[in-house]
Amino acid sequence: MTVHPAHTRILKTDGTDDLAVPFTRVALTNGETFDRYCTEGPGSDPEVGLAPLRAGWIEGRGDVTPYDGRETQLLDNGRSAVRRGAARGEWRGERRRPLRGRNVTQMAYARAGIVTEEMRYVAVREGCDVELVRSEVAAGRAIIPANVNHPESEPMIIGRRFLVKVNANIGNSAVTSSIAEEVDKLTHAITWGADTVMDLSTGEDIHTTREWIIRNSPVPIGTVPIYQALEKVNGEADKLSWEVFRDTVIEQCEQGVDYMTIHAGVLLRYVPLTANRVTGIVSRGGSIMAGWCLAHHEENFLYTHFDELCEIFRQYDVSFSLGDGLRPGATADANDEAQLSELRTLAELTSRAWEHDVQVMVEGPGHVPLDLVEENVRLQQEWCHGAPFYTLGPLATDIAPGYDHITSAIGAATIAMHGTAMLCYVTPKEHLGLPNRDDVKTGVITYKLAAHAADIAKGHPGARDWDDALSKARFEFRWHDQFALSLDPVTAESFHDETLPAENAKTAHFCSMCGPKFCSMRISQDVRERFATDGMAQKSAEFIEMGASVYVEPSGV
Amino acid sequence: MTVHPAHTRILKTDGTDDLAVPFTRVALTNGETFDRYCTEGPGSDPEVGLAPLRAGWIEGRGDVTPYDGRETQLLDNGRSAVRRGAARGEWRGERRRPLRGRNVTQMAYARAGIVTEEMRYVAVREGCDVELVRSEVAAGRAIIPANVNHPESEPMIIGRRFLVKVNANIGNSAVTSSIAEEVDKLTHAITWGADTVMDLSTGEDIHTTREWIIRNSPVPIGTVPIYQALEKVNGEADKLSWEVFRDTVIEQCEQGVDYMTIHAGVLLRYVPLTANRVTGIVSRGGSIMAGWCLAHHEENFLYTHFDELCEIFRQYDVSFSLGDGLRPGATADANDEAQLSELRTLAELTSRAWEHDVQVMVEGPGHVPLDLVEENVRLQQEWCHGAPFYTLGPLATDIAPGYDHITSAIGAATIAMHGTAMLCYVTPKEHLGLPNRDDVKTGVITYKLAAHAADIAKGHPGARDWDDALSKARFEFRWHDQFALSLDPVTAESFHDETLPAENAKTAHFCSMCGPKFCSMRISQDVRERFATDGMAQKSAEFIEMGASVYVEPSGV
């Protein structure tokens, strides 16, 4: 489903006939076209799910085998499923037997010099050389989250040399939402440009909700498995164990989760460092693990069992998203000892994961005053040897609940400009409630513009072409093209139409800001007709001649 | 009118009995209070206007005299007033004879070592020493816009050593709006925190609309007089003359306009520099003057008559806002030869205004990629000898019409962090239409949070106290306090209530994000109870003891 009549789906290849990479083509009224990166996938009937685009590639490598997966249990869908004695809303589409291999990560292939179809696909999407993709993945500076059990996904890459990506969080809680609502949020988020989606459900039907989401998702799906594990032990953090956690991870690996947030850096000795903070520990996963550590007076089991986790992840190609459980939840707590201690541990874990060829990204804050933002990404890149940074905002101030998509977009654009590879969106509901469908859209659009602002600031090849195309349309009064090229054509057009709804106002050489009598743009066009030239030489000559014969010289400067 | 039941107006003094400076006091449920800078004034009946707070101060200095002002003409309210033979909606409140002096600027007083009531008032508002105020105004690094004919205004200061300020643009166009709507937008903008308001009307009833606005405004009012002058010559830029312009300026000085945007830097020889731009000249004032220069093949009359303007401004204490008529209207055009050439001329004009003791701020862009933002303020501060910078955004990308309050807040927070003194808001309607009442609020709130983010990043004394107060309320589940401390309590509370409307949810130790069973904040509070200490020494000792006896040591880092 495209969002504007001038948008169509086109497919590009790398010259071979086994790849077809979708782009959104915007047809302009002047006969030109503009092609945009497209995340929305081919679209699906939610009950059926998407076709397994990558199935042939995965099978073709000959290194995975189907097996009888872990049996789904009632508790996978929560305690009320157990009480009822039955799950509800179960997935009715195709069920494939799970696949696994010995070491099937994109990093393992990249290090072995193998160029996968996933890498080629990514190179077409990014408009870059495939060797850049392979070498960045091999070096750990980029990841392609691509669980072999999520063949529906269209490969994408997360790394500082590539376009800045945006993640949208969805998921229910004990208080609110249903499976259908979550699938709708997924589709909505992707339609508006989310590059990955995290299912952070903590309420009922967790297993089933995730199945529906993965089967319908053309983008990688991330989760925080400790949330589901906590539900399995009645919400009591001290009842958690490595065994329950491991079982949950296997369950999710087999379903096809592409990356998992693992809070293995919340070490027991760091917990007291948060005691005098303004807002303590605000990461849900971080506080679960802190609670467990304190209750048991033992080291975090995610840390002590980290190598076992790596062994599991490499069999499915699940990527780590190393959670920042001690991220600051207030600007007062930014870049403090707790946060930076954990980051050093995440750096250690990054290296350990890489020893197993497991792909890694590292999560970052949070709430950070603007003057401290750059240090976050600088330290993360230095300590974690360039592993992709994935940050939540950060929020540049705490004072604007209801507008935290904006307070965080300010920090997000800044941190991405300095090298953050993926931004986790924040919606207007942050701190106040779970996002609904509209909040998801607002969050995604806000973060797409922040990510794009960073792409431009980084001088990413071709990034500014989009701005230039839109600005040219604006300058030439091509209102329809201005809307069609907008990140959100629907909103742009409806705002314009509030004051000038008539169709002829969309070809008129004015708008409601100045009215018909006078228009800056029109005068500029006169200037262009008189002075525009193709070559700098001619312009310069003309300028000198004019300066010499016509102009009053200023008295100074 | 306050925006939340926990807000009240309090008055503070500097120990004398002739000053009473309003603050918004937020009463918290834990018995504490938090005082916030307040812009909204005492409130007025629009038909009556505000009391002339500064009248006694102005009179007391004994350097102004009332005189018979310029007679209002029908054309002051536009061509349709002329056609009708009558103005409409005329101001019915008190009419004072205009005042003027020989040299009554705050800069002149500051340079003479005189501490005015306005400076003392500002010092209380900013919580700083009055000598800082006087010396910054004397040096030209800050301005206190305070026309002697706008005695209703509550003095405020614009300068990089002070809190970052926000301006809201209002005003009608030929296509839309009425006097009542504009007065309502004024009040709404100020209620939500606008520090100054610009009346950019270009439609009907310009003179009368402005009279209503000034008489009801507790904040300084800015205008762009060339807009009204253009209306007086039937909207034809080439018909403009110094005489028409001068007459319009006098008209506005006598009404009480506090600062005026003057596009005196658009020199004839700079116009061709815009010819090959993506969007040419986008400043309305800039294109009017460019159009005039081209039509007459003469130097900009605002430049050639600049000293005469200074002579006028000093008689009323009108401040210059030196317009950036050649600002970039697309990221492609940022920091180009046209823009920087004009900035050098604005620097020259700054020095010339200072020779007349006239206060000056300098306007800045516009559309600027994030990596080029800092250079804008660095060059402006260097070239213009620290005169306050006043920027429109800048927008960090062109691709998001409908969301340009956000694309520009990103640039605004960044440029303010580097030293911009006042930010001109951008509303969601930018590029698409005139802002309505709701857009005005969204624009103001967005810019207040950007300005505050910059205050924190600059380490402005006390700025983060607000964040800390709100974050503490959040950590302690004081939901009512969290709302009351929000920049927009109405929106924060309504978002919370969408999922948990019951009153007891506002004292509950959870929210809809995690649900009642588990809450990160609660675990953090447990941590605090176990580990929080007052002194670092005790904390450190405890930490060492724990580290030695309990913890598993990591293998590396």
Side-chain angles (χ1 to χ4, degrees), chain A residues 497-530:
Chain A
D497 290 0
E498 270 184 37
T499 38
L500 291 173
E503 176 55 31
N504 64 11
K506 283 166 201 154
T507 50
H509 281 204
F510 67 91
C511 68
S512 67
M513 286 170 285
C514 289
K517 184 74 195 172
F518 175 84
C519 174
S520 319
M521 292 286 197
R522 216 159 44 196
I523 287 193
S524 291
Q525 296 190 346
D526 294 346
V527 172
R528 175 169 295 186
E529 278 161 31
R530 288 174 62 163

Side-chain angles (χ1 to χ4, degrees), chain B residues 11-21 23 120-121 123-125 128 130:
Chain B
L11 297 169
K12 297 191 185 183
T13 72
D14 60 352
T16 64
D17 58 5
D18 62 344
L19 275 192
V21 182
F23 284 79
R120 289 169 45 212
Y121 194 99
V124 176
R125 280 191 118 162
C128 70
V130 71

Side-chain angles (χ1 to χ4, degrees), chain B residues 420-487:
Chain B
T420 290
M422 183 158 79
L423 301 169
C424 182
Y425 83 176
V426 169
T427 78
K429 289 281 168 60
E430 185 73 14
H431 300 114
L432 300 168
L434 277 189
N436 62 25
R437 195 176 194 275
D438 291 340
D439 298 321
V440 166
K441 176 180 167 184
T442 302
V444 170
I445 297 280
T446 301
Y447 270 67
K448 291 297 277 188
L449 72 84
H452 185 73
D455 287 333
I456 301 173
K458 287 164 74 174
H460 191 81
R464 221 195 55 210
D465 294 350
W466 188 356
D467 300 73
D468 293 353
L470 190 143
S471 289
K472 272 179 205 149
R474 182 174 283 156
F475 186 65
E476 293 169 8
F477 299 99
R478 289 184 275 114
W479 287 97
H480 281 296
D481 293 347
Q482 200 182 145
F483 305 145
L485 285 163
S486 296
L487 204 42

Side-chain angles (χ1 to χ4, degrees), chain A residues 173 268-269 277 281 284 297 303 397-399 403 429 467 471 487-488 498 512 514 524 528 551 554, chain B residues 173 268 277 281 284 303 397-399 403 429 467 471 487-488 498 512 514 524 528 543 550-551 554:
Chain A
S173 81
L268 180 54
R269 69 179 180 283
R277 278 180 159 186
I281 300 174
R284 195 169 190 273
H297 232 74
Y303 180 82
T397 169
D398 309 337
I399 64 164
Y403 300 79
K429 288 283 167 56
D467 301 72
S471 288
L487 205 41
D488 177 359
E498 270 184 37
S512 67
C514 289
S524 291
R528 175 169 295 186
Y551 297 113
Chain B
S173 80
L268 179 54
R277 279 180 157 184
I281 300 174
R284 195 168 190 273
Y303 180 82
T397 168
D398 309 337
I399 64 164
Y403 299 80
K429 289 281 168 60
D467 300 73
S471 289
L487 204 42
D488 177 0
E498 270 183 37
S512 65
C514 290
S524 291
R528 176 169 295 186
F543 183 52
V550 174
Y551 297 113

Side-chain angles (χ1 to χ4, degrees), chain B residues 15-16 21 185 192 197 234 340 389 413 442 484-485 494 523 528:
Chain B
T16 64
V21 182
K185 282 188 206 167
W192 291 107
V197 167
N234 197 31
L340 297 182
F389 203 27
T442 302
L485 285 163
S494 74
I523 287 194
R528 176 169 295 186

